[in-house]
Amino acid sequence: MCAAPLALLAAPWLACAADFCISGTVVNASTGEPLRHAAATIPQAATLTDAAGIFRFCGLPAGAYYANAEKPGFTAAGTQVVIGPSRENILLRLQPLAVIKGKVTESGGEPLEKVLIQALSITTEDGRRKVKVESAVSTDDRGEYRLPGMAAGPYLLRAAGWQGAASGAKSSDSGETFAAVYYGGATDLASAAPLAVAAGSQLDADFSVTLAPSYRIRGVLAGFSALLPPKIELLGPEGDLSAAPVAFSPATGVFQISNVAPGSYTIRATESEGEESRRGEQAVQVGSTDVNDVLLTLAGTVTLKGAVRVAGASVSSPLPPACSVDVSPAGDSMSQETAVESSTSDDGEFEVPSLLPGRYRVKMECANGYIAAAHFGDADLLARDELLIIPGAPPPRLEAVLNRDGGTLDLAEDTDKEPVTAWLALVPDSGNDLHTRFAILKGKLSLSGIAPGDYHVYAWVGSPYEFEYANPEAQRAWAGRAVSVHVAERVHQSVSLKIAPREPQ
């Protein structure tokens, strides 16, 4: 006797039957044409589609299945299917993958071999652009490159430098190099324009770079384990990883980074052993000569301690600040590190553990109040773009003051239609992260405890990652959508918002 699910006990013949089918068609999502020889699978079986793109699985007991299809040159697609009775109308649409290709030449027109080209997917974190390398390839001896298998979406293209040891007149250690550049000519991440890649398209994207003298950075790494080779990286001003080759001697601790263009950099060394990690960072400025005698020391994690005090709170009956404290890596546009979170206790004290040496941004959100002052040693964290610099030793305390006399904004969408769900960013003209607010708006929203000052309010539908609200370039592009508002201490006011419809993709 077969075992029947509770939902099928009223019809035991249905639960025991093993002659149900799942069938359907796999098509090209862009053209609607059937796809032959696509691999169709359910957890128990696999088959290939016929000339009409049809697949079929039979002899199956009632239940839930996941039907999936994939084919080279297309993104996979699948769906959950419940049978009992049979399902024979499944339609799986596979998006064709795109190709990005192009050529890299120097300003004089000569093709450049072994230039590293990266395709970067884009997201935002706390209003700042972050990227991830989705695909990378180096140019051939004709200076040409090809990035196949690209899913539809926006990408940044980057000529990052020489890939490894190139050959020929323009080699990675020939004394010439170029600064990393994005397609379109931008030299920094914030102003780089995304390239829209449509499904199944073939895009041409050429680069022209200007060669200039290259230099070397030499130094010594201290505090590393001889049994565990460290990773040494050269980072640009935005945390973008340089393609400059790195050589390291475990016997002596001496390292050398070759083929470096003039500019500001951070050398980072990282070593991980189990759950323990050590890191060291050193800022360097490369001008018109080699940089020598750099000392880079590895150190383990530290705990950031601090407190948020409430302005005007009674000593006999203090009001707890109720703040969250998030510390996230700053400037690491390609880093996959996440924020370390903490919260204040009733007496306002907090601890943020497991911070490696480096640069960080701090975000503090408090119930019904705003951060009126924040100091980390000698650093004033309310100054624009002021960062936490965590050393390889116990850091100074972070001392903050919470003021409960902030303003209140009642925000409402100006529409006679059904309100839409939108994302809202309240961005201070000062540019300070500690006073920025991000929320969901559905018709109406009230924000209290806002720091006095001038702000711009942005609201949009679609993805919460669509707007880089901490990026001045993005703010200028969205200027027509913004509403200006002045927030005064203990003043309650209303703001009407026009929410722009989502732009077509």
Side-chain angles (χ1 to χ4, degrees), residues 158-409:
R158 181 173 181 257
W162 304 115
Q163 171 66 61
S167 60
K170 308 301 182 188
S171 72
S172 69
D173 203 21
S174 66
E176 288 186 303
T177 189
F178 61 92
V181 62
Y182 293 88
Y183 178 67
T187 56
D188 62 282
L189 177 65
S191 58
L195 181 66
V197 177
S201 62
Q202 182 166 286
L203 299 179
D204 290 300
D206 296 338
F207 288 85
S208 177
V209 301
T210 301
L211 295 179
S214 69
Y215 302 95
R216 298 182 179 90
I217 302 172
R218 299 183 181 94
V220 176
L221 179 65
F224 68 95
S225 169
L227 301 177
L228 192 66
K231 178 172 67 174
I232 300 177
E233 301 168 305
L234 184 66
L235 307 178
E238 299 168 308
D240 46 317
L241 183 61
S242 169
V246 179
F248 175 71
S249 170
T252 62
V254 173
F255 65 86
Q256 175 175 291
I257 306 174
S258 305
N259 191 40
V260 181
S264 300
Y265 299 92
T266 298
I267 307 173
R268 170 183 290 178
T270 308
E271 188 176 69
S272 298
E273 187 173 7
E275 296 183 355
E276 295 185 6
S277 296
R278 291 177 291 276
R279 186 162 74 192
E281 290 190 348
Q282 179 64 53
V284 295
Q285 183 71 35
V286 178
S288 57
T289 60
D290 291 344
V291 177
N292 297 302
D293 302 324
V294 175
L295 177 60
L296 188 59
T297 303
L298 292 176
T301 60
V302 298
T303 296
L304 171 66
K305 298 181 180 181
V308 179
R309 309 300 180 194
V310 180
S314 168
V315 176
S316 60
S317 179
L319 296 173
C323 300
S324 65
V325 182
D326 295 349
V327 178
S328 58
D332 291 348
S333 61
M334 295 185 180
S335 171
Q336 302 305 306
E337 291 185 50
T338 57
V340 182
E341 302 176 359
S342 183
S343 58
T344 55
S345 58
D346 287 346
D347 62 359
E349 296 285 329
F350 65 86
E351 293 186 0
V352 183
S354 304
L355 294 178
L356 285 165
R359 299 169 300 158
Y360 293 86
R361 284 191 173 88
V362 63
K363 184 177 182 181
M364 307 173 75
E365 294 187 354
C366 305
N368 301 318
Y370 67 92
I371 298 298
H375 291 89
F376 177 68
D378 295 332
D380 180 0
L381 298 182
L382 288 181
R384 190 184 187 99
D385 292 331
E386 187 66 52
L387 303 178
L388 294 179
I389 309 298
I390 300 295
R397 284 174 60 86
L398 196 167
E399 301 287 350
V401 176
L402 174 70
N403 192 314
R404 295 189 183 274
D405 291 330
T408 298
L409 293 180

Side-chain angles (χ1 to χ4, degrees), residues 15-29:
C16 298
D19 56 358
F20 297 119
C21 296
I22 297 173
S23 66
T25 306
V26 181
V27 300
N28 183 321

Side-chain angles (χ1 to χ4, degrees), residues 130-152:
K130 291 198 70 170
V131 295
K132 177 184 177 183
V133 179
E134 294 292 344
S135 185
V137 70
S138 58
T139 57
D140 60 19
D141 57 357
R142 296 169 295 180
E144 297 177 351
Y145 72 92
R146 187 173 186 272
L147 292 165
M150 303 300 299

